[in-house]
């Protein structure tokens, strides 16, 4: 492998299979969430209902996160991921049936709505295990010396799924309707399942198999909170995502403010992910490891500015542009955060650290959706988005002032140490 090879991780067959699995799951999950958002808002015309979708997923995801991390560290990763995919497939099949007019013809709107919320709740349970399992499996299929490059490609594939899933959701709602869109989502979960079978069972690297669950959880939380760089990165991103959750209100903007319909909704929903995807492919050639702390602060500050511009915009293409650049900055943030986690997390604690990460960052997406829905109900949609962007800016400035060590963070030494292993 040549130094600074942008395709280093792609030279490992199992990692390519892993990328297919990750793409299929991210595509299916993001498409499903968008289809559900559209269906629920079409039923209720209430922005708070969009927030409730996020709340229904985040409650089980946060409640079970630490326990899920313990289970992941104790179990074989490939088979555990298979179980997660099966769980997601069952939920997708349930939503497919729930949106079939022949089945729900005699059901009331509230019954349909509550059933959707229930299935989203079950999805939160699956997600509590899915994220830590993928994070842990990642480290078992590539050598440590290519972790930074592999993290870039893995994040890029994540964003590719996040681009195409929402975009296709918007168009498929218009072309084939909500019901058959759910069938398409189910099909992608099957693609993930079939490809995952090609990855062999992996060894369990945790030397403390059978360890008491409460002791295990304490060790995982203690590690995160004692590793200031990891804690700082997670906290900063959590606050930004929590208050910058304008994406949750896109159905309101598409239908009631910009008046662009389902196709415009798909474009708006995909714009941030397109920006992030371009950033991630670029970073394979131009790594972000030098002055990583300052780059992370600058990226989240830029993200907040873009959210404010989007909230104030009355023009469709200006809104698309603002969301696009919010994705560019979010992509930078994601790459740096994932690189920090991969480089500074011991193999035997990856499940627990990933679970804490999901509590901080992953779940803040849904909490951000709830916060956006609630503030939109209380202060209006536009004001809620501008408020969220402003809070993001305040958080970044505060972090930069009180944490000089974070401003000085540089990941080049970590990478050099792993390349020697």
């Amino acid at each position: 492998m040549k130094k600074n090879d942008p395709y280093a991780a792609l030279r490992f067959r199992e990692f390519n299979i892993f990328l297919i699995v990750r793409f299929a799951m991210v595509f299916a999950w993001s498409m499903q969430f968008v289809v559900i958002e559209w269906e629920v808002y079409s039923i209720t015309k209430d922005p708070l209902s969009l927030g409730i979708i996020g709340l229904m997923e985040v409650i089980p995801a946060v409640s079970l996160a630490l326990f899920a991390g313990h289970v992941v560290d104790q179990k074989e990763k490939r088979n555990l991921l298979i179980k997660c995919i099966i769980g997601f497939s069952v939920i997708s099949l349930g939503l497919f049936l729930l949106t079939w007019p022949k089945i729900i013809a005699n059901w009331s709107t509230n019954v349909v709505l509550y059933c959707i919320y229930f299935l989203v709740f079950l999805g939160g349970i699956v997600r509590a295990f899915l994220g830590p399992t993928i994070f842990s499996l990642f480290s078992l299929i590539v050598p440590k010396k290519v972790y930074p490059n592999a993290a870039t490609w893995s994040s890029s594939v994540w964003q590719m799924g996040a681009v195409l899933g929402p975009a296709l959701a918007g168009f498929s709602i218009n072309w084939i309707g909500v019901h058959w869109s759910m069938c398409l989502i189910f099909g992608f979960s099957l693609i993930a399942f079939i490809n995952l079978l090609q990855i062999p069972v992996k060894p369990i690297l945790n030397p403390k198999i059978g360890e008491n669950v409460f002791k295990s959880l304490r060790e995982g939380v203690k590690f995160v909170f004692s590793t200031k760089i990891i804690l700082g990165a997670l906290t900063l991103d959590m606050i930004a995502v929590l208050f910058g959750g304008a994406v949750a209100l896109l159905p309101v903007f598409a239908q009631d403010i910009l008046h662009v319909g389902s196709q415009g909704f798909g474009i708006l929903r995909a714009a941030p992910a397109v920006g992030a995807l371009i950033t991630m492919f670029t970073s394979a050639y131009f790594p972000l490891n030098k002055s990583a702390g300052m780059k992370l602060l600058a990226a989240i500050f830029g993200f907040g500015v873009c959210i404010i511009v989007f909230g104030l915009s009355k023009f469709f293409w200006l809104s698309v542009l603002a969301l696009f650049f919010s994705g560019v900055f979010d992509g930078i943030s994601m790459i740096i955060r994932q690189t920090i986690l991969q480089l500074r997390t011991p193999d035997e604690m990856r499940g627990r650290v990933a679970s804490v990460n999901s509590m901080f960052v992953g779940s803040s997406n849904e909490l951000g959706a709830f916060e956006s829905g609630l503030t939109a109900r209380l202060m209006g949609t536009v004001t809620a988005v501008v408020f969220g962007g402003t809070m993001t800016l305040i958080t970044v400035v505060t972090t930069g002032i009180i944490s000089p060590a974070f401003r000085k963070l540089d990941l080049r030494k970590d990478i050099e140490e792993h390349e020697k292993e």
Side-chain angles (χ1 to χ4, degrees), residues 63-357:
S63 300
L64 294 173
L66 290 177
F67 174 73
H70 167 77
V71 171
V72 171
D73 282 336
Q74 296 280 318
K75 301 293 184 180
E76 194 280 317
K77 312 306 184 277
R78 198 284 304 257
N79 288 336
L80 190 57
L81 184 54
I82 286 176
K83 294 175 182 177
C84 291
I85 293 175
I86 291 173
F88 174 83
S89 300
V90 171
I91 293 167
S92 295
L93 182 60
L95 288 167
F96 171 72
L97 297 175
L98 190 59
T99 53
W100 198 341
K102 291 183 179 179
I103 290 183
I104 62 171
N106 297 319
W107 294 17
S108 69
T109 298
N110 283 339
V111 169
V112 173
L113 190 62
Y114 295 150
C115 286
I116 291 175
Y117 287 152
F118 175 70
L119 289 174
V120 172
F121 184 89
L122 294 181
I125 296 176
V126 173
R127 207 193 76 181
F129 291 87
L130 182 66
T133 305
I134 290 177
F135 182 80
S136 299
L137 181 61
F138 170 99
S139 66
L140 297 173
I141 58 180
V142 291
K144 289 184 177 180
K145 62 184 178 181
V146 298
Y147 276 3
N149 182 257
T152 297
W153 284 109
S154 181
S155 297
S156 298
V157 164
W158 188 95
Q159 282 294 344
M160 188 182 297
V163 168
L164 298 178
L168 184 59
F171 290 114
S172 68
I173 290 170
N174 184 60
W175 293 336
I176 59 178
V178 168
H179 175 57
W180 292 109
S181 295
M182 290 306 310
C183 182
L184 186 61
I185 292 165
F186 177 74
F188 269 86
S189 69
L190 293 182
I191 291 174
F193 176 79
I194 293 170
N195 277 276
L196 184 57
L197 295 177
Q198 299 179 54
I199 296 179
V201 171
K202 297 298 179 181
I204 303 173
L205 300 180
N206 187 356
K208 299 180 180 180
I209 299 299
E211 181 182 22
N212 178 272
V213 61
F214 295 106
K215 182 180 178 181
S216 171
L217 297 183
R218 282 197 302 271
E219 286 186 0
V221 173
K222 181 181 178 181
F223 173 79
V224 172
F225 279 83
S226 62
T227 309
K228 300 302 181 183
I229 294 301
I230 289 180
L231 180 63
L234 296 186
T235 303
L236 186 63
D237 209 53
M238 178 191 72
I239 298 299
V241 174
L242 178 63
F243 287 108
V247 172
L249 298 175
L250 287 185
V252 184
F253 278 88
Q255 294 187 36
D256 300 334
I257 296 177
L258 300 173
H259 306 289
V260 291
S262 60
Q263 292 192 32
F265 172 63
I267 295 172
L268 289 169
R269 193 64 174 77
V274 172
L277 183 61
I278 292 173
T279 296
M280 289 179 177
F281 279 126
T282 302
S283 69
Y285 296 88
F286 304 100
L288 299 169
N289 305 312
K290 182 180 178 181
S291 304
M294 284 301 297
K295 288 176 181 176
L296 183 56
L297 290 170
I300 297 179
F301 187 89
F303 174 82
V305 171
C306 290
I307 294 301
I308 293 174
V309 172
F310 169 75
L312 296 174
S313 171
K314 301 297 182 183
F315 304 99
F316 175 65
W317 289 111
L318 177 59
S319 299
V320 170
L321 196 62
L323 290 174
F324 170 82
F325 279 105
S326 77
V328 170
F329 293 122
D330 190 43
I332 295 172
S333 169
M334 181 180 296
I335 291 171
I336 295 174
R337 189 180 73 251
Q338 287 298 315
T339 303
I340 290 171
L341 289 176
Q342 289 292 350
L343 290 175
R344 300 203 173 185
T345 302
D347 289 332
E348 69 275 9
M349 300 188 72
R350 289 185 179 277
R352 284 163 285 177
V353 171
S355 292
V356 176
N357 176 49

Side-chain angles (χ1 to χ4, degrees), residues 38-50 251-252 255-256 377:
W38 184 267
E39 179 71 359
V40 167
Y41 187 69
S42 298
I43 292 173
T44 65
K45 291 297 180 181
D46 183 357
L48 183 60
S49 65
L50 300 175
V252 184
Q255 294 187 36
D256 300 334
R377 166 74 77 85

